[in-house]
Each structure stands twice: as structure tokens, then as C-alpha cells.
Amino acid sequence: FLPVEDYLKFSLLFGAMLVAVFVFFGLYRLRNTEGGLRESRSVLKHSVVWILLVMSYFFVTREIFFSRLVLIFGAVLAILLVILARMLLRSIEHLLLDAGIGQRRVLLLGANKISERIARRLLKDPHYSVVGYLAEGSKRIPNLKFLGSFKELRRIVRRHKVESLIQTTQDL
């Protein structure tokens, strides 16, 4: 048997390679909008790239001193642990979003068909909290709070701590 230090050295090297592959292919983006199944498929696909890199390393250096079965078990275990960790993080993110933590506060500027469509989509997305809308005239958006006119924009943005504005009208 080899000393534990050799296994640790290879584990650190291959762990760094896995992180590098995931960074290169964008799996560590801050805002991940993929669903859980699609994300797991992406992890699996890019882990195969990582496994091929590990196999290439051993082919080039010709220093494979342990069973290839260890390599396969290690790869399968790494893939399962990464997918489970991502599922756990996604669950925690949803719990926080349900509590209102991490939501982006949005204000719509305008009241028209485009505003209604955007409002419906944003209200379904847990990443956003639509605080309301501003409009001139009598047009209203159903199920959304009317906050005032465009003249009051600065005050309303401060008062409601708005982070994003979506302009859907040319009246500004």
C-alpha cells in the first residue's frame, strides 16, 4: 500500500482540477437559473470531462500505482457528492427566498400590456419581489399595487428600497 500522503496529494490535485473544470464551464455562476435536473445533468456531463482529464494525466505520466477501480469509485462518489451538495444548496436558497431573503425588489415603470406580462412572470419567480408600478393616466395593472406617478419616482425608490427598475413605457 502507498502512504496516505500520496493519496492526499492526488486528491488535492484532482479536486483542484474538478473545480477548474466547473469554473471553466460556468457551473460556479452566482445566479444559476437552471432547474435541478438540468443542473445535475450539467454536473454529470462536466464531471465526465474531469474524469477524462484525470485519465489523461495518468496516461501521460504513466504513474498509475493503484487500481483503476479506485479511480472509478472516487469519480462516482465525487459526482454524487457534488450533486447532493447542489441539491442541498438549492433547497436552502428556496427556503431563504420563501422567507423574502435574497429577493430582488423590482418597480415597473408604466402600465400597459408589456407591464402586465412582465408582472405576471416576475410574480411567479421567487427571485423577485414586485413592489408595484408607476404610471400616468388611469390604466391599472391587476393584482399589482399602484404607487404613484413618474414624478414621485425618486421618493418611491427610496421608500420601498427598490433595486431594479423596468421601464415599459416611452412616457418618461
Side-chain angles (χ1 to χ4, degrees), residues 107-111 132-140 145-157 159-160 165 169 171-172:
L107 176 67
L108 298 176
L109 303 177
Y133 70 98
L134 303 180
E136 301 293 335
S138 61
K139 178 79 169 122
R140 299 290 177 244
K145 188 175 180 181
F146 173 70
L147 298 174
S149 68
F150 298 136
K151 295 174 193 163
E152 303 171 79
L153 176 63
R154 189 175 299 237
R155 180 186 62 79
I156 290 170
V157 165
R159 183 172 176 219
H160 292 279
L165 299 172
T169 183
D171 296 343
L172 292 176

Side-chain angles (χ1 to χ4, degrees), residues 41-79:
R41 194 173 5 172
S42 184
V43 166
L44 183 63
K45 179 173 58 173
H46 295 102
S47 294
V48 169
V49 170
W50 167 68
I51 293 167
L52 291 174
L53 285 173
V54 170
M55 291 170 65
S56 300
Y57 170 83
F58 284 122
F59 180 76
V60 169
T61 62
R62 298 194 185 277
E63 60 175 272
I64 190 156
F65 49 79
F66 52 82
S67 170
R68 284 177 282 243
L69 201 56
V70 170
L71 186 62
I72 292 169
F73 285 152
V76 169
L77 184 63
I79 291 168

Side-chain angles (χ1 to χ4, degrees), residues 112-140:
N112 53 35
K113 297 255 187 233
I114 296 170
S115 304
E116 290 179 28
R117 201 171 329 143
I118 290 172
R120 274 196 307 273
R121 180 169 270 167
L122 290 178
L123 289 170
K124 290 178 186 175
D125 191 334
H127 295 93
Y128 298 99
S129 171
V130 181
V131 297
Y133 70 98
L134 303 180
E136 301 293 335
S138 61
K139 178 79 169 122
R140 299 290 177 244

